[in-house]
Amino acid sequence: MPLQHAVLALLTQRPNHGYELKARFEETIGPQWGGLNIGHLYQILERLVRDGYVSRSQVTQTDRPDKNLYTLTPAGEHELREWATTAWVRVGGFRDELFLKLLGAVALGPQSLDTLIESQRQTYLSELAGLAQQRRAHTGEPLVAVLIDAAIAHTKADLALLDSAAQHLGPLATAHDAPTSARSPQQTPDRIEAADGIGGAQRSA
């Protein structure tokens, strides 16, 4: 996740020290992203200083320890412009734990698949309700509103995916379940083992 470029973007407005950058990032992006770890932020700032994208200076404070002030350099502005005006391309495929859960549910049969899909549907509906509340609360913050709108659209797409999963994976789950459900009482594992024992005794007699 290119957080270093988000830091560069924030520094285009004015120089900042670390905790100011953390607060501005969380205020600008909003609750959907989550908090920014201050230790991780300082690691990013160290790399940006090392690469020449940000300069660091010390500000003397009389009532507390000196603080580092970070300023965007011309090289940093150029790097930001190159990154911010280039299309984003997904790399590494599309990974979501839901697909692994679908794999497990299909292997267990149609009842497990139905249970997962219905449980996941209710979870998504609950998420949509919460996102709608967030959207109303951040109407006056354009960037935050865009991120929440993206989350809403993504969750609605996930809901549609559940219908597709039920349609396409239902027959597969039924096929996986067939060998177990088709066994007669005489074909349970215990009876099969017993029958093998009898047959073995007869063969050896």
Side-chain angles (χ1 to χ4, degrees), residues 89-103:
V89 179
R90 189 189 305 278
V91 294
F94 189 85
R95 297 184 179 184
D96 192 312
E97 186 179 348
L98 174 61
F99 296 112
L100 300 182
K101 285 181 173 287
L102 288 169
L103 171 67

Side-chain angles (χ1 to χ4, degrees), residues 122-202:
Q122 294 306 314
T123 298
Y124 286 150
L125 290 172
S126 178
E127 288 180 3
L128 280 175
L131 288 167
Q133 290 181 346
Q134 287 187 10
R135 185 64 176 82
R136 289 191 292 271
H138 294 278
T139 302
E141 302 167 77
L143 191 57
V144 178
V146 167
L147 184 56
I148 295 173
D149 285 345
I152 290 172
H154 187 90
T155 306
K156 287 181 176 179
D158 286 338
L159 270 170
L161 172 67
L162 292 179
D163 294 332
S164 175
Q167 176 186 353
H168 291 94
L169 300 181
L172 183 59
T174 301
H176 281 200
D177 194 46
T180 301
S181 61
R183 286 177 182 163
S184 66
Q186 290 77 20
Q187 291 176 306
T188 60
D190 289 342
R191 291 180 179 272
I192 292 172
E193 184 179 350
D196 286 345
I198 293 171
Q202 289 174 341

Side-chain angles (χ1 to χ4, degrees), residues 2-16 20-22 24-25 28-29 36 41 44-45 48 53-54 70-85 143:
L3 287 174
Q4 64 268 22
H5 291 98
V7 172
L8 294 177
L10 291 172
L11 289 174
T12 60
Q13 300 175 28
R14 63 179 184 273
N16 275 139
E20 287 175 337
L21 281 170
K22 170 179 164 62
R24 288 182 59 210
F25 176 87
T28 301
I29 299 299
L36 180 59
L41 174 58
I44 291 172
L45 288 167
L48 291 174
Y53 297 149
V54 168
Y70 298 92
T71 303
L72 185 68
T73 66
E77 183 176 355
H78 176 76
E79 170 65 19
L80 174 62
R81 191 175 303 279
E82 287 291 311
W83 173 79
T85 56
L143 191 57

